[in-house]
Amino acid sequence: MSHEHLAPASRVVALGRQDRMPGAGVNAPLELSSTYVADGPVNYARGGNPTWSAFEEALGALEGGDALVFASGMAAVTAALSLAGHGDVVVAPRAAYNGTVASLLDAERDGRFEVRWVDPTDVDATVAAMDGADLVWLESPSNPLLEVSDLAALAAAARERGVISVCDNTFATPLVQQPLGLGIDVVVHSVTKYLSGHSDVILGATVTTPDERGRALHERLSRSRLLGGAIAGPMETWLALRGLRTLHVRLERATANAKELAARLRQHPGVDRVRYPGFGAIVSIEVPGGADGAERVAAATRLWTHSTSLGGVESQVERRRRHPAEPVAVPEELLRLSVGIEDVDDLWADLDQALQR
Ligand code: PLP
């Protein structure tokens, strides 16, 4: 059955299922084989696995391209960065997920890439930096400053200059934004977050366009996965596909909670600044008292979990600068709130008592 006419809420449920034959399971199998009888579509599980295929079919259709599942979001980031060769010029955001920034800093230090650090919300400056570049890295909304880039304008400028464009779409998810449709070449995901949604797996993915240019990139990413060898476990992939089934309802509820909390936080005397792009379920706030003040708020929550990561059903809070790798553009007193699907008044009551301390 073609799924293209279906609404997103139906697609997350219907995609990546087995063919409907009498007696077939309604779920994709959890396939635990390292090797296969010769001459079939898959011969060895480092190169392919039916559980991967089911997840990739679903995510690929949601993003409008061809997906590859990776062992973690960072494995997908590393594979995407491998599209730039030794000595290449990479245009990258000063503030983004700290693992991505750390990888770029290492590559710069080791002389593998020349990195041009930019503020991607400044389209003119970012486009100017693309002249003579090989790859541009974007993350929108960004982690944890929640800055939004003009992906269509930046992707068009990259194409004109023959620059490969990559967008980390972890925060938006394909339900909110499909970067490939805006002209981006490669989408990267930490599947660990919203796509799987229950804080129980580490997984990543790339997605590329179905045209000739995208297929060539897909081949290179697939080879990087095959030869890099740090591949996704079938169990994690199966859990991620199960999580994906509820993405629409989870995100709808979490977003409604985030909108309400962002509005209430803007009126709270214990909050200096609220960052919320108007969509999605991450809200970042700045509180008085510097790093210590922010740490005290995080430690005083009871329903919110003081923990790293985001995108699970449970609400989480963290001061990002507690991580030494966090870019200095992120204020010391910034708390990232990953709003979950609990009752909004319970979330508010807990946050309010923590802020009042
Ligand atoms: N990209 C973003 C935006 C992230 O927030 C993260 C992790 O927090 C990653 C990539 C890395 O993903 P993983 O932790 O699954 O390796």
Side-chain angles (χ1 to χ4, degrees), residues 122-291:
D122 183 340
V123 173
D124 292 343
T126 307
V127 170
M130 283 187 212
D131 278 335
D134 299 284
L135 185 143
V136 57
W137 192 276
L138 301 165
E139 187 182 281
S140 185
S142 64
N143 181 2
L145 296 180
L146 302 173
E147 287 172 341
V148 175
S149 311
D150 184 340
L151 294 181
L154 295 171
R159 283 206 172 205
E160 273 166 29
R161 290 162 179 76
V163 176
I164 298 170
S165 57
V166 183
C167 178
D168 187 325
N169 202 29
T170 300
F171 273 36
T173 84
L175 296 189
V176 174
Q177 161 177 286
Q178 291 132 30
L180 301 183
L182 300 173
I184 293 286
D185 292 316
V186 184
V187 161
V188 163
H189 275 288
S190 170
V191 176
T192 312
K193 311 297 195 283
Y194 288 104
L195 299 182
S196 61
H198 296 77
S199 306
D200 53 8
V201 297
I202 298 274
L203 213 66
T206 59
V207 196
T208 42
T209 49
D211 56 6
E212 201 180 324
R213 178 182 167 102
R215 272 197 299 277
L217 293 168
H218 181 86
E219 274 308 304
R220 292 175 63 192
L221 292 165
S222 172
R223 188 168 170 79
S224 160
R225 180 177 72 175
L226 177 73
L227 300 181
I231 53 160
M235 183 72 205
E236 282 79 358
T237 312
W238 191 90
L239 280 171
L241 183 55
R242 185 169 72 161
L244 194 68
R245 301 295 179 215
T246 55
L247 176 64
H248 196 275
V249 283
R250 283 186 286 107
L251 200 63
E252 197 170 58
R253 172 61 173 264
T255 301
N257 282 353
K259 280 190 177 152
E260 178 62 27
L261 292 179
R264 293 189 195 181
L265 286 163
R266 286 204 170 94
Q267 309 299 322
H268 200 288
V271 177
D272 289 337
R273 178 169 178 182
V274 178
R275 296 170 194 254
Y276 181 62
F279 60 92
I282 308 287
V283 181
S284 289
I285 58 172
E286 290 163 38
V287 295

Side-chain angles (χ1 to χ4, degrees), residues 4 11 17 28 30 48 58 60 74 82 84-85 94 127 148 157 187 199 204 223 227 274 280 285 290 297 327 330 351:
E4 268 148 42
R11 301 182 89 207
R17 301 275 183 191
L30 169 57
M74 277 313 296
S82 78
R94 281 194 193 95
V127 170
V148 175
V187 161
S199 306
R223 188 168 170 79
L227 300 181
V274 178
I285 58 172
V297 173
V330 176
L351 207 49

Side-chain angles (χ1 to χ4, degrees), residues 92-144:
R94 281 194 193 95
Y97 171 58
N98 67 35
T100 305
V101 173
S103 288
L104 286 161
L105 284 167
D106 283 2
E108 189 180 40
R109 184 200 57 209
D110 298 345
R112 277 185 285 133
F113 300 155
E114 179 197 321
V115 184
R116 293 182 188 157
W117 301 98
V118 294
D119 168 4
T121 63
D122 183 340
V123 173
D124 292 343
T126 307
V127 170
M130 283 187 212
D131 278 335
D134 299 284
L135 185 143
V136 57
W137 192 276
L138 301 165
E139 187 182 281
S140 185
S142 64
N143 181 2

